[in-house]
Amino acid sequence: MEKFNFELLQSYQSFHTIEEMDQAVRGFLYKHKEDLSEGTISVLTQIWRHSVKVIGVSFARNDYLAEQANVSRRTVIRALNVLMEKGIIKKIPTARKTGKQGVNILIIQPFVSI
């Protein structure tokens, strides 16, 4: 586990512009929309909305994502697992200064069209 700081977030930046990130998420939604539940799409939308300070990287907590997407915390965890399985996002765990688990860094992956 890595310690959480802004330089760490910038090292995981996966896009140069917001437009590139938007195209990638839209591509994933076009390809996988029928495979994703409504709750999973809501969670992806919230991750997408919170990935603009460092383009493509979100550090929103599961509780916050659940509140914003209007789903349960458990649904967020299931949604993250589905999104990682499909290659839409990548999750990096971090550690607090005390050594305990910190917030997860969620990285939207570039979309490779076939």
Side-chain angles (χ1 to χ4, degrees):
M1 281 195 223
E2 300 184 56
K3 297 220 178 189
F4 182 81
N5 58 38
F6 193 71
E7 290 79 27
L8 176 67
L9 288 178
Q10 288 182 323
S11 71
Y12 287 120
Q13 185 169 334
S14 52
F15 301 98
H16 295 291
T17 64
I18 294 173
E19 290 78 25
E20 287 178 14
M21 178 182 65
D22 292 348
Q23 287 178 348
V25 173
R26 287 185 186 117
F28 282 122
L29 286 173
Y30 181 77
K31 183 177 180 184
H32 296 290
K33 190 164 188 166
E34 66 276 353
D35 300 335
L36 301 176
S37 70
E38 189 177 318
T40 302
I41 292 172
S42 294
V43 171
L44 176 59
T45 302
Q46 292 307 315
I47 294 169
W48 184 14
R49 285 182 181 170
H50 291 92
S51 298
V52 291
K53 285 186 181 179
V54 179
I55 302 170
V57 180
S58 172
F59 53 93
R61 296 180 58 193
N62 290 352
D63 294 332
Y64 181 77
L65 290 172
E67 179 184 317
Q68 295 298 311
N70 203 20
V71 296
S72 70
R73 183 177 186 279
R74 184 65 194 138
T75 299
V76 170
I77 293 168
R78 275 194 295 271
L80 292 177
N81 288 334
V82 168
L83 293 171
M84 286 187 299
E85 180 183 303
K86 301 230 180 263
I88 300 171
I89 65 167
K90 182 178 178 184
K91 182 170 77 170
I92 309 289
T94 61
R96 295 180 184 178
K97 290 181 181 179
T98 60
K100 294 182 179 182
Q101 181 178 352
V103 68
N104 292 320
I105 298 173
L106 304 171
I107 306 165
I108 298 174
Q109 299 299 299
F111 179 70
V112 180
S113 60
I114 298 173

